[in-house]
Amino acid sequence: MDHDSERARFVDAHWAKLVQRVKSVKAIADELLSSGMLEWEPYCEIKAADTNQEKMREFYKVLHSGGDKVKSAFYSRLEKHEPYLLRDLGSTGHHTHSEKTHSSEISSVIHKYMKRICSEYQYVTEYNSLPGEHVLLSERFTQPLILRKHRDRKEREEEICSRGKSFQQVLSSRSSGDSVHLSSLFDTDVKGISPRSVILQGNSGNGKSFTVQKIMMDWASGDLYKGRFDVVFHLKCKEINRIPGEKSLVEILSCSCSLSSHEISQILQQSPEKVLVVIDGFDELKLTQDINDTSAHTDLLQKAPPVDTLCALLRGRILPESFLLVSSRSTATNTLSNLLKGPQRFSEIVGFSEKGVEEYFQKFFQNEKLYREAYTYVKANETLITACSIPVVCWIICTTIQERFKYGAGATSGLETTTSIYVDFVCTLLKHHCQGLSQSVPTLLRSLGQLAERGMQEQQVLLDEKSVNETISDPAGNPFLCKFLFRRRIYQETMFSFMHLSFQEFFTALYYVLLDEEESQRKLTRSLLMDGFSKPQFAAVVQFAFGLLNKDVRLTLEKHGLFIRPITQAHLKEWVLEKVKGCSLYSEAVCFVLHCLYELHEEVFVKEAMESWGMIKLLNIKQFLRRTDVCALLYCSQFCQSIEEIFLCLTSEDFSMILPELHKFKKASLGIEDPSDSDLGELIYALARGQTLSSQSVIVGIYQMKYGDHPGNSLVLSIIKELSSICIKIGHLHHPDVQSFSLTFPHSEIINIDWTRLFQIIHQRDPEALLSFLYSFSKLKKMEMSVERLTERLSAWTLQMSQNCPSLTELTVDAGFLLEEGIKILQSSNTRPSCMMTFNGSICNNPSQKCTDYCLRRSRCNQKVKILLNDQGFSMETLRKPLFSELKRRKL
């Protein structure tokens, strides 16, 4: 077979693929026309065709009529213009060495490009970075939760309304089997379909751009899509909007990276099916034409307005073999889907899972102690930990806490209020995610507040399209709204929502405080403050409203042209003063007011409000206080010395927070869930160290306490602090011998006792160990014990106790029964004159018969007596004789 025939056979055999993949049709036609291999009329027909595919079909008419010689000439032009296409189709042409050389050159160019990407993309410039400041991407990026599944209306409402643990449980249920990693975005699905285009949807601040940067960095490092994509290009829609004039795709790509137009052209011609173009921020693209426009734009080198060229790429008219990854807000996803070539795949960045939030905190602080302190605090705040699923909010909170650490304060010390965090988030989005808004910031925020209030009044988080369009001038460009499409019978229904219910509550509060004086007061009074307190669904709105009155928050709002009138501030303050002074507050009502005052964060006013409280009761063993409740209480109580008594029900974790402040209260009743032995020991030490009060009483109820393998109901610890001594009472021991005991020591002696060890022994239920440990209290002044029976062993122990504790002046034992053998031990002993020993209990009044415990418990034959043992010796006094009914039974 001659040379021309071999080439012609190749062209015929691969014509279907050539029609789809040849890009240089016009250049090949021009050269064949110049060489006389193509007539003018067919040349015009080729040139008039709209697409490259149609041009190639016209070309084949010429080739078919021209025979092997024309086909061979066409083949030779393919060798010149598209050598890699021939190689991919299996050609064994005569330019193998040239192709290898050229391929090596392109590989070298791509390698240099990857190194440049690694250098540029390894750093992140944060919103608050000063000139020249940056952090490593690896120190910030955390894999967000990415779902492929469209959620229905009920599922969306669940996600928007749930908070704290329930929110994370909802996310966990969504991610089960549906979450994806960056490496699997283009994997073949269960139906065997591999997508050409992937939509990466996410709300403002959810980390779309961060994720794109991570994809670029990992590809350039060889950790992602290795062998799948030879080259990955990154286009930012915000930058494409600013490119002037008309540009080809090659020129646009060149503007975004370090490669020249020629190098990019060579790369794209070599293997377009191994090219991934990542397009970031489609929602920011200023579309200048109808997305259904069908104008011809198929050549890599053809120039047009940059937005038009990008749309041609998205449609697949330019570089149809390439793959696309396009990020967008939900408000523009529908437009993108109608424009994008197929097969498409939808994916959504939901934000951080609970594990993701914790990982972000770890990376940010890079110190185990600081990370633990910060994360533990934020996790306890339902609103903040839920908002942390938004990566930008997570960054704001970590940055705020880090600043506290820098100045030596703890995570909870002076931490910004929840309202201030939300204001920071809103300001961040206004500055970095709101370019090109058609209205002023005050107008935008007021309209958002009006929309939020309507939803709150109607108790709706999914808002219909009509209501949104009537209130918001440009919903698609609004970074604070999310857009959803739901199936409704045979139609699609468009709904909007705020990122989370808490943002709807925030914008409602903002709307109320920004209204004119009369309207603001009317809204707050009529809609929010019912029956003395807020409607349940408006409780968070009221707290946000108080937070917006904070001086620093108001200054931030004023920078954006938002002013809260003094009369609105006065109205809210008067209301909270009235409610604090006018009623006795318990549980939920107390927490609500405390949170309002905490969000206000105005020391002088908080002090004024707290002065009217002499007691705070937050005691309910069915529901322990939240960490945020404890923080609000501690903040408010530091400005007031009038609170003498508090009743709190705490978890063991929150107990450590309240412990340093307990000495401020004259009387405290605490319910604690499973505190550790060291917690209880530290409680006693803390009160002994406290110098504020000379007299104080603390009662601690310990719930669900376990003694080894034996569950107990409770343990009660009472600490009574007097002028020169402290009395420690421990009751409800469920101990085989000792039911309760109290110990009185001088102040100075308390810190010398290992209280942690004492509680460990109590929990071990070892009577010998307990009695032996009590021997060591050499400075003990008084002791009282409650036991079931005064046995011989216990009598001997009490006598030994009086010998081992020279400072002991009083020892009292209350027994259910005083057994005869125990009494004999006391009768036959002599005690120190300085120690008064008293024994109270019941004895059998009929020595002739042997009584059982059952008889004594039923009062069949018992009588109450009091035994004194002192320097005068032994004496026993009868306190109660048997009842007449008991004597009658005995005679019978």
Side-chain angles (χ1 to χ4, degrees):
M1 185 182 296
D2 61 26
H3 186 59
D4 287 342
S5 298
E6 184 179 351
R7 290 181 166 190
R9 289 281 298 273
F10 181 87
V11 170
D12 289 336
H14 297 88
W15 183 253
K17 293 182 179 179
L18 290 172
V19 168
Q20 296 298 320
R21 297 180 61 180
V22 172
K23 305 299 179 187
S24 309
V25 186
K26 187 175 179 298
I28 293 173
D30 288 342
E31 291 185 14
L32 291 181
L33 176 66
S34 300
S35 64
M37 302 297 287
L38 184 61
E39 298 295 333
W40 175 254
E41 186 175 347
Y43 172 79
C44 291
E45 294 289 337
I46 294 170
K47 188 176 180 182
D50 288 337
T51 66
N52 280 335
Q53 289 82 1
E54 292 173 0
K55 292 180 191 295
M56 285 293 289
R57 293 187 183 97
E58 291 296 329
F59 226 134
Y60 191 68
K61 296 176 184 178
V62 178
L63 298 179
H64 187 67
S65 62
D68 289 355
K69 188 174 182 180
V70 177
K71 291 177 184 178
S72 178
F74 175 80
Y75 182 95
S76 67
R77 268 61 182 185
L78 285 176
E79 286 185 315
K80 175 181 178 182
H81 292 284
E82 305 205 30
Y84 301 104
L85 173 57
L86 292 182
R87 183 197 65 188
D88 289 345
L89 296 177
S91 171
T92 55
H94 300 284
H95 301 278
T96 304
H97 177 71
S98 174
E99 289 179 11
K100 286 182 178 180
T101 301
H102 193 61
S103 177
S104 177
E105 291 174 355
I106 294 299
S107 296
S108 177
V109 169
I110 292 175
H111 180 69
K112 290 180 181 178
Y113 169 63
M114 295 171 78
K115 288 183 66 176
R116 184 70 177 267
I117 291 293
C118 286
S119 176
E120 292 180 358
Y121 282 66
Q122 66 177 319
Y123 296 110
V124 175
T125 300
E126 298 182 303
Y127 291 132
N128 65 346
S129 293
L130 298 175
E133 283 187 339
H134 51 255
V135 296
L136 289 173
L137 175 65
S138 59
E139 294 177 358
R140 289 291 183 268
F141 181 81
T142 299
Q143 167 77 41
L145 181 61
I146 302 177
L147 302 181
R148 287 180 183 166
K149 178 185 176 184
H150 287 280
R151 278 94 75 205
D152 61 28
R153 184 168 179 161
K154 182 179 179 181
E155 289 175 321
R156 289 289 186 182
E157 286 178 336
E158 265 190 329
E159 293 169 18
I160 295 168
C161 293
S162 57
R163 303 176 195 258
K165 289 183 179 179
S166 63
F167 176 75
Q168 292 300 338
Q169 288 170 356
V170 168
L171 284 192
S172 179
S173 68
R174 301 287 185 271
S175 62
S176 178
D178 292 316
S179 59
V180 296
H181 191 269
L182 297 179
S183 60
S184 59
L185 288 174
F186 289 90
D187 286 358
T188 302
D189 63 18
V190 292
K191 297 180 180 179
I193 298 175
S194 180
R196 282 280 169 184
S197 305
V198 172
I199 296 172
L200 189 61
Q201 175 182 296
N203 298 328
S204 299
N206 261 22
K208 299 183 297 297
S209 296
F210 245 46
T211 301
V212 165
Q213 183 170 342
K214 177 66 172 175
I215 288 172
M216 294 297 299
M217 182 66 189
D218 284 358
W219 166 76
S221 303
D223 298 328
L224 188 66
Y225 304 140
K226 190 173 184 180
R228 178 155 202 167
F229 299 123
D230 288 344
V231 66
V232 180
F233 293 107
H234 180 196
L235 295 177
K236 300 177 182 178
C237 292
K238 189 186 298 186
E239 295 178 357
I240 290 175
N241 291 330
R242 297 195 290 260
I243 298 176
E246 294 188 344
K247 301 291 181 185
S248 66
L249 177 61
V250 169
E251 290 173 321
I252 291 174
L253 292 172
S254 179
C255 290
S256 70
C257 67
S258 59
L259 299 176
S260 67
S261 296
H262 176 71
E263 289 171 332
I264 292 174
S265 180
Q266 294 297 311
I267 290 171
L268 296 181
Q269 289 186 51
Q270 175 175 318
S271 50
E273 71 284 354
K274 288 197 170 186
V275 172
L276 171 63
V277 182
V278 180
I279 302 170
D280 189 20
F282 173 80
D283 53 280
E284 297 178 286
L285 192 66
K286 296 179 180 178
L287 295 172
T288 57
Q289 60 178 349
D290 185 351
I291 63 169
N292 297 315
D293 180 59
T294 56
S295 60
H297 190 174
T298 60
D299 199 316
L300 283 169
L301 304 177
Q302 184 177 344
K303 294 187 177 184
V307 174
D308 293 357
T309 300
L310 185 64
C311 286
L313 173 66
L314 292 168
R315 290 189 180 99
R317 293 178 181 168
I318 305 176
L319 213 61
E321 303 90 352
S322 67
F323 291 80
L324 300 175
L325 174 62
V326 189
S327 72
S328 174
R329 292 178 193 158
S330 60
T331 49
T333 299
N334 194 36
T335 302
L336 172 61
S337 181
N338 292 332
L339 179 64
L340 201 56
K341 71 182 180 182
Q344 295 179 14
R345 174 173 290 162
F346 169 85
S347 58
E348 180 178 0
I349 295 180
V350 179
F352 289 150
S353 63
E354 182 177 17
K355 182 180 178 182
V357 173
E358 186 172 6
E359 182 182 335
Y360 186 91
F361 271 70
Q362 282 180 302
K363 288 184 175 181
F364 190 97
F365 289 102
Q366 298 185 0
N367 176 291
E368 182 69 19
K369 181 178 179 296
L370 299 183
Y371 135 69
R372 281 291 174 194
E373 184 178 349
Y375 180 70
T376 299
Y377 173 76
V378 174
K379 187 179 180 181
N381 186 317
E382 281 193 340
T383 302
L384 287 186
I385 194 64
T386 303
C388 273
S389 66
I390 303 172
V392 168
V393 175
C394 214
W395 174 79
I396 290 172
I397 292 173
C398 287
T399 301
T400 301
I401 295 177
Q402 186 183 54
E403 187 171 326
R404 303 294 173 199
F405 288 150
K406 184 185 296 185
Y407 293 103
T412 61
S413 175
L415 181 64
E416 301 293 331
T417 63
T418 301
T419 306
S420 67
I421 296 296
Y422 274 59
V423 169
D424 286 343
F425 175 71
V426 169
C427 292
T428 299
L429 262 59
L430 288 173
K431 182 175 181 180
H432 300 282
H433 297 262
C434 283
Q435 285 72 21
L437 283 175
S438 58
Q439 56 187 172
S440 66
V441 169
T443 302
L444 168 68
L445 296 183
R446 285 191 179 94
S447 62
L448 283 168
Q450 187 177 359
L451 181 66
E453 188 222 12
R454 182 184 303 178
M456 292 297 298
Q457 293 286 2
E458 298 173 358
Q459 297 189 43
Q460 293 179 343
V461 293
L462 291 176
L463 312 169
D464 64 89
E465 187 175 21
K466 181 182 178 182
S467 298
V468 173
N469 287 328
E470 288 173 352
T471 312
I472 308 294
S473 63
D474 179 23
N478 195 303
F480 301 101
L481 293 178
C482 312
K483 181 179 178 181
F484 307 114
L485 292 176
F486 300 113
R487 292 189 185 93
R488 186 169 183 177
R489 298 174 60 191
I490 62 173
Y491 306 104
Q492 284 184 350
E493 181 180 32
T494 300
M495 304 290 285
F496 288 84
S497 81
F498 290 87
M499 295 179 187
H500 186 265
L501 175 58
S502 59
F503 288 96
Q504 187 172 335
E505 294 165 340
F506 170 82
F507 280 111
T508 301
L510 184 63
Y511 176 61
Y512 283 141
V513 299
L514 292 178
L515 289 169
D516 61 63
E517 297 170 359
E518 183 178 345
E519 183 70 5
S520 176
Q521 185 167 343
R522 184 181 67 84
K523 291 272 190 184
L524 287 168
T525 302
R526 187 185 70 181
S527 301
L528 301 181
L529 313 177
M530 302 281 291
D531 300 325
F533 295 101
S534 173
K535 292 179 180 179
Q537 69 268 27
F538 278 96
V541 175
V542 179
Q543 291 171 19
F544 275 127
F546 274 94
L548 291 167
L549 303 186
N550 175 264
K551 181 180 179 181
D552 292 337
V553 170
R554 283 190 283 115
L555 289 174
T556 302
L557 293 175
E558 287 170 6
K559 293 177 183 178
H560 294 278
L562 302 167
F563 298 91
I564 300 174
R565 292 170 174 80
I567 196 168
T568 301
Q569 302 175 44
H571 173 64
L572 280 170
K573 290 180 178 180
E574 287 171 8
W575 172 82
V576 80
L577 284 177
E578 179 185 344
K579 299 312 168 190
V580 168
K581 295 176 180 178
C583 59
S584 180
L585 296 179
Y586 290 88
S587 297
E588 291 84 0
V590 172
C591 282
F592 176 73
V593 171
L594 290 175
H595 281 291
C596 289
L597 295 175
Y598 178 81
E599 288 298 317
L600 177 62
H601 237 68
E602 188 178 302
E603 294 182 10
V604 174
F605 180 78
V606 173
K607 184 176 181 179
E608 180 184 358
M610 296 293 291
E611 285 296 334
S612 62
W613 276 353
M615 177 186 74
I616 291 180
K617 189 168 185 178
L618 294 169
L619 190 61
N620 179 3
I621 63 172
K622 293 182 179 179
Q623 184 173 353
F624 294 90
L625 290 180
R626 301 170 300 173
R627 176 67 58 87
T628 48
D629 300 330
V630 176
C631 290
L633 170 64
L634 290 177
Y635 169 77
C636 293
S637 63
Q638 69 180 311
F639 303 112
C640 177
Q641 298 299 323
S642 65
I643 301 175
E644 294 193 355
E645 186 173 4
I646 58 170
F647 296 80
L648 305 177
C649 208
L650 303 162
T651 65
S652 57
E653 294 175 350
D654 294 337
F655 171 63
S656 59
M657 289 180 60
I658 200 77
L659 187 58
E661 309 300 325
L662 273 181
H663 66 275
K664 295 180 179 179
F665 309 104
K666 288 187 177 180
K667 187 173 182 180
S669 296
L670 309 178
I672 308 174
E673 183 183 35
D674 285 330
S676 67
D677 297 321
S678 58
D679 285 337
L680 297 176
E682 186 56 38
L683 170 63
I684 297 174
Y685 292 139
L687 293 175
R689 289 192 296 263
Q691 301 299 316
T692 306
L693 300 176
S694 59
S695 63
Q696 185 176 18
S697 172
V698 177
I699 300 174
V700 181
I702 301 161
Y703 301 108
Q704 298 175 349
M705 179 69 73
K706 293 183 178 180
Y707 303 90
D709 297 328
H710 305 279
N713 295 324
S714 64
L715 181 148
V716 176
L717 169 64
S718 299
I719 305 168
I720 301 173
K721 183 178 178 182
E722 298 173 344
L723 188 62
S724 60
S725 62
I726 293 181
C727 179
I728 312 296
K729 296 184 178 181
I730 302 174
H732 290 246
L733 291 179
H734 300 276
H735 204 275
D737 288 323
V738 183
Q739 296 171 334
S740 66
F741 61 87
S742 69
L743 309 168
T744 302
F745 294 92
H747 281 183
S748 58
E749 180 63 15
I750 294 294
I751 59 175
N752 297 322
I753 296 173
D754 188 350
W755 294 104
T756 300
R757 178 58 187 155
L758 173 60
F759 288 110
Q760 288 174 346
I761 293 172
I762 290 173
H763 296 160
Q764 291 169 4
R765 296 172 61 86
D766 184 346
E768 293 299 330
L770 175 61
L771 297 177
S772 296
F773 190 80
L774 293 176
Y775 280 148
S776 63
F777 297 159
S778 59
K779 299 296 179 68
L780 183 65
K781 294 173 62 178
K782 297 179 182 180
M783 181 176 179
E784 294 182 8
M785 294 181 66
S786 177
V787 299
E788 186 172 351
R789 300 185 193 88
L790 181 67
T791 62
E792 180 180 357
R793 181 168 60 86
L794 274 175
S795 293
W797 179 86
T798 57
L799 293 172
Q800 185 63 44
M801 189 74 183
S802 66
Q803 298 299 318
N804 286 10
C805 302
S807 60
L808 185 65
T809 59
E810 294 181 27
L811 193 158
T812 301
V813 178
D814 290 317
F817 318 119
L818 302 176
L819 301 184
E820 184 177 354
E821 58 266 30
I823 297 174
K824 287 181 178 180
I825 292 292
L826 298 177
Q827 286 178 318
S828 62
S829 67
N830 295 315
T831 64
R832 293 179 299 100
S834 60
C835 180
M836 172 65 74
M837 302 178 70
T838 304
F839 300 85
N840 300 307
S842 297
I843 64 171
C844 176
N845 66 0
N846 189 358
S848 64
Q849 67 179 39
K850 188 173 183 180
C851 289
T852 65
D853 289 348
Y854 177 78
C855 294
L856 291 171
R857 289 193 188 99
R858 300 286 293 183
S859 300
R860 296 259 174 100
C861 58
N862 64 333
Q863 66 180 23
K864 293 286 186 180
V865 299
K866 180 178 183 179
I867 296 174
L868 296 179
L869 195 62
N870 52 32
D871 56 346
Q872 301 299 315
F874 175 92
S875 65
M876 185 166 64
E877 175 186 357
T878 300
L879 301 178
R880 183 175 67 85
K881 293 184 178 180
L883 298 174
F884 176 77
S885 59
E886 295 175 5
L887 294 173
K888 186 177 181 180
R889 281 198 303 271
R890 289 175 190 170
K891 290 179 180 179
L892 293 175

